[in-house]
Amino acid sequence: MGSIVHVLGARPNFVKAAPVIGALRAAHAEQAVVHTGQHYDERMSEIFFHELGLPEPDVNLGVGSGSHAAQTAALLTGLEGEFTSRSPALVIVYGDVNSTIAAALVAAKLHIPVAHVEAGLRSFDMTMPEEVNRRLTDQLSDLCLATSPEAVGHLAREGVPVERVHLVGNPMIDTLLANLGKFDTARVRAEHGLPERYVLATMHRPANVDAPETAAALVRHLHGVADLADVVIPVHPRGRANLMAAGLADHPGVHVLEPLGYIDFVAAVRGAAAVVTDSGGLQEETTILGVPCLTVRPNTERPITITHGTNRLVGFAELVPAARKVLETGPAGTPRKPPLWDGQAGPRIADVIMEYLGDRPA
């Protein structure tokens, strides 16, 4: 059958890949893991392999950071060498980072089939680099593995043949449910000196943190939230300089942390009174954990977290009033678990992949 190569580049990829790799291992598939090194900080990368039980990468390309063009160029060159030497039967890519589109493009040009986990998500905002990546990746993919029904609809409208599309559920939720017993909020609160009641914040989207004036406006509104309740913010390397220069840490109610590993981070989320974020995956995790989520963006590629979960989109001006409301009332209504977010996405993905590879001529 040949090997299956997983291409991972950033922390959300690791969380999504763990159940897929585990299920394929149970199916006795030959696998290899290529870590591109897009996230290279130990707290953004290596710790995830240990905590999630992922196999050590077979190779780390070490591309590091850089402009989109420079980073993608390094990814294309490195991945072409890897795929040429390995001749995989299938390349599996995850999410919407630069590593994802680079791997899909290289594989397509080498006539290697591609499976895209988390296919079909759409924000319809082409100013977002992630939207460009996910749209192009889906067009290049032989298997589009969707997490939600609306994603299937987006793919259909874009002309992706129905036989390529499979609704499999959300492997990120597999990882969350498998680790529920490890998310010890009391331990994390004690280890990091966190208050009993807090809002957890994460901000890293280019539109929010890249321009100094925008980062400064964001910080002012986060300080407004900190007037209501302490704000705990593990600061992503992206945007750290701008946020700190804007005085993020100057408010006595703001607790700035270094990036956390997966277990500690989700434990902190689980114990939060509310979450303020621009992250995609965190909208999904709060939906399952039942924690109110305020997403500081004009759009989301995960609308099911609004219709079924605890998520709400807010602009800068709405952030403080929205935070005041959720701190007073908690989540609105009872979250409904989205279809197939049941902890079994990994096995479903493995079944689709093994059937696909079994049907291909040797």
Side-chain angles (χ1 to χ4, degrees):
M1 184 180 291
S3 67
I4 297 167
V5 172
H6 304 262
V7 177
L8 312 178
R11 62 188 290 170
N13 296 167
F14 311 143
V15 180
K16 296 162 192 167
V20 179
I21 292 172
L24 286 169
R25 184 189 303 122
H28 307 292
E30 181 184 344
Q31 303 180 80
V33 174
V34 174
H35 184 357
T36 67
Q38 182 174 334
H39 275 179
Y40 50 89
D41 184 287
E42 194 274 336
R43 287 160 300 199
M44 304 287 286
S45 177
E46 279 79 3
I47 190 171
F48 279 66
F49 283 83
H50 301 311
E51 290 186 341
L52 301 177
L54 285 163
E56 287 296 318
D58 294 85
V59 64
N60 188 326
L61 299 180
V63 299
S65 61
S67 70
H68 283 284
Q71 188 178 70
T72 306
L75 287 162
L76 291 170
T77 303
L79 289 167
E80 183 180 59
E82 282 299 315
F83 295 170
T84 300
S85 64
R86 292 179 184 277
S87 298
L90 179 74
V91 169
I92 306 181
V93 298
Y94 298 82
D96 52 24
V97 297
N98 286 342
S99 297
T100 302
I101 180 57
L105 184 58
V106 171
K109 290 195 171 187
L110 292 174
H111 309 293
I112 300 167
V114 176
H116 183 202
V117 174
E118 203 179 73
L121 298 187
R122 297 291 180 267
S123 68
F124 302 100
D125 181 356
M126 291 298 285
T127 69
M128 296 176 63
E130 297 90 348
E131 182 74 359
V132 176
N133 291 347
R134 63 174 76 99
R135 282 176 177 264
L136 295 178
T137 298
D138 286 339
Q139 291 299 318
L140 296 169
S141 295
D142 300 85
L143 293 174
C144 289
L145 304 165
T147 60
S148 58
E150 71 272 10
V152 174
H154 297 328
L155 293 166
R157 281 189 291 275
E158 292 170 12
V160 177
V162 66
E163 63 270 15
R164 294 186 184 181
V165 179
H166 301 267
L167 178 61
V168 293
N170 192 336
M172 179 176 274
I173 301 308
D174 289 24
T175 300
L176 179 75
L177 295 176
N179 288 281
L180 271 180
K182 299 178 183 177
F183 301 139
D184 186 343
T185 299
R187 177 187 60 78
V188 171
R189 188 182 285 122
E191 286 185 6
H192 296 281
L194 306 184
E196 187 68 25
R197 189 168 190 253
Y198 60 87
V199 173
L200 185 128
T202 67
M203 307 298 300
H204 71 277
R205 295 279 177 183
N208 285 333
V209 303
D210 277 11
E213 60 274 16
T214 307
L218 173 61
V219 166
R220 287 196 301 274
H221 291 288
L222 287 174
H223 285 177
V225 176
D227 290 336
L228 305 173
D230 285 69
V231 172
V232 173
I233 179 164
V235 181
H236 193 287
R238 181 185 188 93
R240 182 182 182 89
N242 283 344
L243 291 172
M244 297 304 284
L248 177 64
D250 293 347
H251 192 292
V254 174
H255 306 257
V256 176
L257 305 181
E258 294 297 320
L260 301 174
Y262 176 74
I263 298 298
D264 281 5
F265 179 74
V266 181
V269 171
R270 191 180 197 180
V275 164
V276 173
T277 189
D278 56 14
S279 161
L282 197 44
Q283 298 171 48
E284 298 176 335
E285 290 162 334
T286 51
T287 284
I288 298 302
L289 294 172
V291 177
C293 182
L294 301 175
T295 299
V296 187
R297 285 172 47 186
N299 50 57
T300 179
E301 63 285 346
R302 294 166 166 87
I304 201 165
T305 63
I306 297 174
T307 58
H308 287 63
T310 58
N311 189 25
R312 176 184 168 186
L313 299 179
V314 296
F316 281 7
E318 304 166 272
L319 178 56
V320 174
R324 180 181 291 110
K325 182 176 181 180
V326 298
L327 287 169
E328 290 174 353
T329 64
T334 303
R336 294 179 292 148
K337 186 178 290 186
L340 300 184
W341 289 25
D342 57 1
Q344 296 301 310
R348 281 191 287 268
I349 290 169
D351 287 345
V352 170
I353 287 170
M354 296 303 285
E355 181 178 355
Y356 172 80
L357 291 175
D359 288 343
R360 285 177 61 81

